[in-house]
Amino acid sequence: MKYVLVSGGVISGIGKGIIASSSGLLLKTTGLRVTAIKIDPYLNVDAGTLGPLEHGECFVLKDGGESDLDLGNYERYLNLNLNNENNITTGKIYKAVIERERKGDYIGRTVQVVPHITDAIQEWIQRVAKIPVDDSGEEPDVCIIELGGTVGDIESMPFVEALTQFRYKVGKGNLVNIHVSYVPIIHGEEKTKPTQHAIKQMRSAGLIPDLIACRCERALDEVTTQKIARSCQVEFQQVLTVRDIETIYQVPLLLQDQGLLHRLREALMLDQLSIPPTLVNKGANLWQLWKKTVVSKPYLEPVNIALVGKYIALPDSYLSVIKALEHSAMRCNRKLNLAWIDAEHLEDATLQSDPTTYHKAWSQLTIASGCICPGGFGGRGVPGMVKAAKWARECKIPYLGICLGMQVAVIEAGQNLCGYKNATSEEFDAKAEHPVVIFMPEGSKEIMGGTMRLGTKTTYFQPGSEWSKLRALYGDLDVMEERHRHRYEVNPDYVEALEKAGLNFIGKDETGKRMEVVELKDHPFFVGVQAHPEFTSRVLAPSPTYLGFVAATTGCLDQIIQEIREQKTTSKLVNGVESIHF
């Protein structure tokens, strides 16, 4: 097993996850099987209870694991299906060690950070690195490890010590450390001192940089790169420049141009590995398709989409939603132009308190070609989302509701189509007169972590739904499989009235009692899904749900559906879609 460790210095949030994913992609293009592990030093067991405005989105894995958003990057770049154990946290490690101590595994010994915590970290990495995560079902060849935060943080010290030991444990030629640092530009001058100090601190902690990836706004001058190499005791060729570029999907191309793959081949002695010719060809084809897809075409027509949400102050709260929209826009040969609208700004209360903000928000919404309402929790902003859904329904504007966004569409229909003026969700009003959305019976209101309906679930398209645009996007199949994360669901007692009013619940769970998909028949595209299909969207294989929405806003939905139906007769489809570009 080969390992690529990606660590960071100076500041966090400078793109370690993208560099880790890009490194994995380049290795995958050689025919190697790649997996990934993210280390988050916080004490939480998982990301499920973290606030989106503080930490960004919670990415849901196939097995229901609630993880850091970087695992989404790994899955999107590398086309993997990771599991809960691919995200290591301090909480998980300490919990595992304490449970072993209580069982008596360390009987008679003092349990300490070194060696017990550090050994547990190393054992976890080696065990998880061997788990198959792609369609082949075979053990990976390379594991990408990203260490979250920055080297020097108090909370990451046990992980740094464990990884220092791990380098010698796996032996020479089996681990490469890429250290990501930030080079600020102040009054036009490229400052190398922060990187020098970061590398010095990294070495004093025990880690050794094999490659230094310098994040910066522009390509560094050669003299700056030479200064970093000289000051950090590395060769000039070991310093990479990762400048700001048009799209993060071009980062692999940027790194390839600087010889990253060649350096990984040498350091990991990859030429000694035997790779089947079929996998080598598959990797080469992947690289050609990737370049064809991500290289921007000049003068692309924009597609204007309004995102009406609760957490727009931090765009990373909707990272997978944004990426799914980007994937679909690339497939439709359009440039995504996203208008961020705070749902509260659409409400009548804002008209009274801040008319300028109110009218600006409505102006953004009304000029958009489509409207998406993503997931969220709590009642703040929901009245504004309901207004957005009503506008999209009445004005025949493509609408996509995700999780809460689907429930919002149901609430809007209850209020304006069924005449239930007080229709709402139990989440917002426990004593609601018309609770068209209710708490799921099997849920827990006492324990918050890991108690939602999580992971991949099967949705069954109902008889008589052959007209459905969404079903056609899934290849006219009988089922769709997407990942879920919710505590509330449509109230079955109101389904009949809602359907009489015009809503069509075309997708349900295996019991037939839980509503999974709602769609309007006489509408260009009005769809609500209880699932989060953005989590399975890939750069080369967009989510069918998002693809249909974006295609409807650009006027090419019929063409997309036709191509999907043609594919069905010639190739294996993943959720009804394979990567075709036009």
Side-chain angles (χ1 to χ4, degrees):
M1 176 66 69
K2 307 292 184 178
Y3 299 91
V4 177
L5 169 62
V6 179
S7 54
V10 183
I11 58 174
S12 61
I14 54 174
K16 293 191 301 296
I18 300 302
I19 292 171
S21 302
S22 300
S23 302
L25 177 69
L26 291 176
L27 290 167
K28 192 169 183 178
T29 62
T30 66
L32 293 169
R33 297 186 181 90
V34 180
T35 186
I37 293 174
K38 173 66 187 296
I39 296 174
D40 285 303
Y42 48 67
L43 280 168
N44 304 65
V45 172
D46 59 34
T49 55
L50 296 174
L53 287 175
E54 177 184 344
H55 196 74
E57 78 169 3
C58 171
F59 187 83
V60 179
L61 300 165
K62 185 176 182 178
D63 66 354
E66 297 173 286
S67 70
D68 182 82
L69 56 82
D70 276 315
L71 273 79
N73 285 324
Y74 308 153
E75 290 203 348
R76 284 187 285 269
Y77 275 72
L78 305 175
N79 193 27
L80 306 177
N81 282 306
L82 304 174
N83 63 55
N84 186 42
E85 293 192 315
N86 288 87
N87 191 191
I88 303 176
T89 67
T90 298
K92 285 181 181 177
I93 295 294
Y94 273 78
K95 184 172 181 284
V97 171
I98 291 170
E99 286 175 351
R100 290 185 64 186
E101 186 275 333
R102 291 290 82 189
K103 285 171 60 181
D105 290 357
Y106 308 116
I107 199 73
R109 287 176 285 172
T110 302
V111 181
Q112 297 175 291
V113 173
V114 180
H116 301 101
I117 294 296
T118 52
D119 284 352
I121 294 168
Q122 295 176 67
E123 290 166 5
W124 192 303
I125 290 172
Q126 286 190 301
R127 174 174 54 82
V128 174
K130 296 178 181 179
I131 298 174
V133 291
D134 61 16
D135 294 337
S136 72
E138 297 187 20
E139 183 178 313
D141 303 303
V142 183
C143 178
I144 309 295
I145 306 168
E146 180 188 348
L147 175 60
T150 56
V151 174
D153 295 343
I154 292 175
E155 59 187 4
S156 67
M157 286 182 177
F159 293 101
V160 172
E161 175 61 27
L163 291 166
T164 300
Q165 296 177 16
F166 190 68
R167 184 183 191 108
Y168 294 97
K169 183 176 183 178
V170 300
K172 184 178 180 180
N174 291 317
L175 188 147
V176 167
N177 190 172
I178 302 174
H179 194 68
V180 184
S181 185
Y182 178 58
V183 179
I185 298 175
I186 300 176
H187 302 304
E189 184 180 357
E190 298 164 355
K191 296 292 186 179
T192 66
K193 193 65 71 176
T195 297
Q196 294 178 45
H197 283 296
I199 297 299
K200 181 179 180 180
Q201 187 172 34
M202 176 189 184
R203 290 184 183 276
S204 67
L207 294 177
I208 301 171
D210 299 293
L211 295 165
I212 301 173
C214 297
R215 281 287 292 113
C216 45
E217 283 78 24
R218 69 189 187 204
L220 295 179
D221 295 335
E222 184 174 329
V223 65
T224 302
T225 305
Q226 290 176 338
K227 183 177 181 180
I228 291 172
R230 184 172 58 251
S231 302
C232 298
Q233 296 85 50
V234 297
E235 299 292 335
F236 176 78
Q237 293 79 11
Q238 292 175 268
V239 181
L240 307 172
T241 298
V242 189
R243 59 179 173 81
D244 290 349
I245 50 180
E246 185 176 357
T247 168
I248 59 172
Y249 305 120
Q250 295 177 5
V251 173
L253 281 67
L254 180 67
L255 295 175
Q256 172 71 333
D257 290 343
Q258 296 181 66
L260 174 60
L261 184 56
H262 175 69
R263 292 176 180 80
L264 291 177
R265 279 183 185 276
E266 288 185 338
L268 295 173
M269 297 185 287
L270 297 180
D271 290 336
Q272 297 180 10
L273 299 180
S274 178
I275 306 174
T278 53
L279 292 181
V280 173
N281 292 334
K282 186 176 180 181
N285 292 336
L286 168 65
W287 185 237
Q288 293 303 318
L289 181 57
W290 184 277
K291 291 191 292 184
K292 177 182 177 182
T293 303
V294 305
V295 173
S296 300
K297 302 176 182 65
Y299 314 117
L300 282 181
E301 185 179 343
V303 53
N304 300 309
I305 293 175
L307 189 153
V308 180
K310 297 158 58 71
Y311 313 122
I312 66 166
L314 182 66
D316 273 0
S317 300
Y318 300 116
L319 184 62
S320 291
V321 171
I322 299 167
K323 300 309 174 189
L325 291 170
E326 288 177 351
H327 303 162
S328 298
M330 286 191 290
R331 170 77 182 270
C332 294
N333 210 21
R334 297 290 191 278
K335 181 177 181 181
L336 178 65
N337 182 20
L338 203 56
W340 294 87
I341 302 176
D342 189 324
E344 288 186 281
H345 294 170
L346 300 173
E347 298 173 8
D348 294 339
T350 304
L351 176 60
Q352 302 301 319
S353 62
D354 190 350
T356 301
T357 297
Y358 174 86
H359 289 297
K360 179 181 178 181
W362 273 103
S363 175
Q364 287 180 296
L365 179 60
T366 53
I367 64 175
S369 302
C371 172
I372 180 170
C373 288
F377 297 93
R380 182 181 62 81
V382 169
M385 296 173 78
V386 169
K387 285 181 173 290
K390 181 175 184 287
W391 172 80
R393 177 179 60 80
E394 292 181 341
C395 297
K396 303 288 187 181
I397 299 299
Y399 173 87
L400 178 58
I402 304 296
C403 197
L404 175 62
M406 170 187 166
Q407 296 171 7
V408 159
V410 171
I411 291 170
E412 189 277 323
Q415 292 177 355
N416 300 305
L417 295 180
C418 297
Y420 306 139
K421 296 303 179 184
N422 297 320
T424 188
S425 168
E426 278 188 349
E427 182 179 7
F428 320 134
D429 184 357
K431 299 180 180 179
E433 179 184 1
H434 293 290
V436 294
V437 177
I438 59 173
F439 189 82
M440 291 188 298
E442 67 270 32
S444 172
K445 294 184 178 181
E446 288 75 37
I447 299 175
M448 302 301 289
T451 58
M452 284 188 270
R453 185 169 178 251
L454 296 164
T456 299
K457 309 293 180 186
T458 301
T459 294
Y460 296 84
F461 289 112
Q462 298 300 293
S465 64
E466 290 75 14
W467 56 267
S468 165
K469 298 180 180 68
L470 186 69
R471 185 171 181 175
L473 289 160
Y474 281 83
D476 295 307
L477 301 175
D478 295 328
V479 298
M480 58 182 269
E481 292 189 346
E482 297 291 358
R483 300 177 190 179
H484 290 63
R485 185 176 185 251
H486 64 111
R487 282 194 175 91
Y488 292 83
E489 63 177 343
V490 176
N491 190 340
D493 294 341
Y494 285 87
V495 168
E496 184 179 353
L498 289 165
E499 289 193 321
K500 285 182 178 178
L503 289 189
N504 299 280
F505 292 100
I506 64 161
K508 301 179 182 180
D509 73 347
E510 67 278 3
T511 68
K513 297 179 180 178
R514 179 164 287 148
M515 304 302 114
E516 291 279 4
V517 181
V518 63
E519 184 173 352
L520 289 180
K521 192 170 186 177
D522 298 319
H523 194 283
F525 192 90
F526 192 100
V527 171
V529 291
Q530 189 61 72
H532 288 269
E534 64 269 19
F535 293 142
T536 56
S537 186
R538 303 288 184 260
V539 179
L540 303 179
S543 157
T545 303
Y546 280 83
L547 179 58
F549 168 65
V550 173
T553 64
T554 62
C556 66
L557 179 58
D558 290 340
Q559 185 177 349
I560 286 287
I561 290 175
Q562 181 61 33
E563 294 207 11
I564 289 172
R565 284 173 171 160
E566 289 175 359
Q567 285 180 7
K568 186 179 178 181
T569 62
T570 59
S571 62
K572 180 181 177 181
L573 302 180
V574 178
N575 254 345
V577 169
E578 194 173 344
S579 51
I580 283 185
H581 301 262
F582 61 91

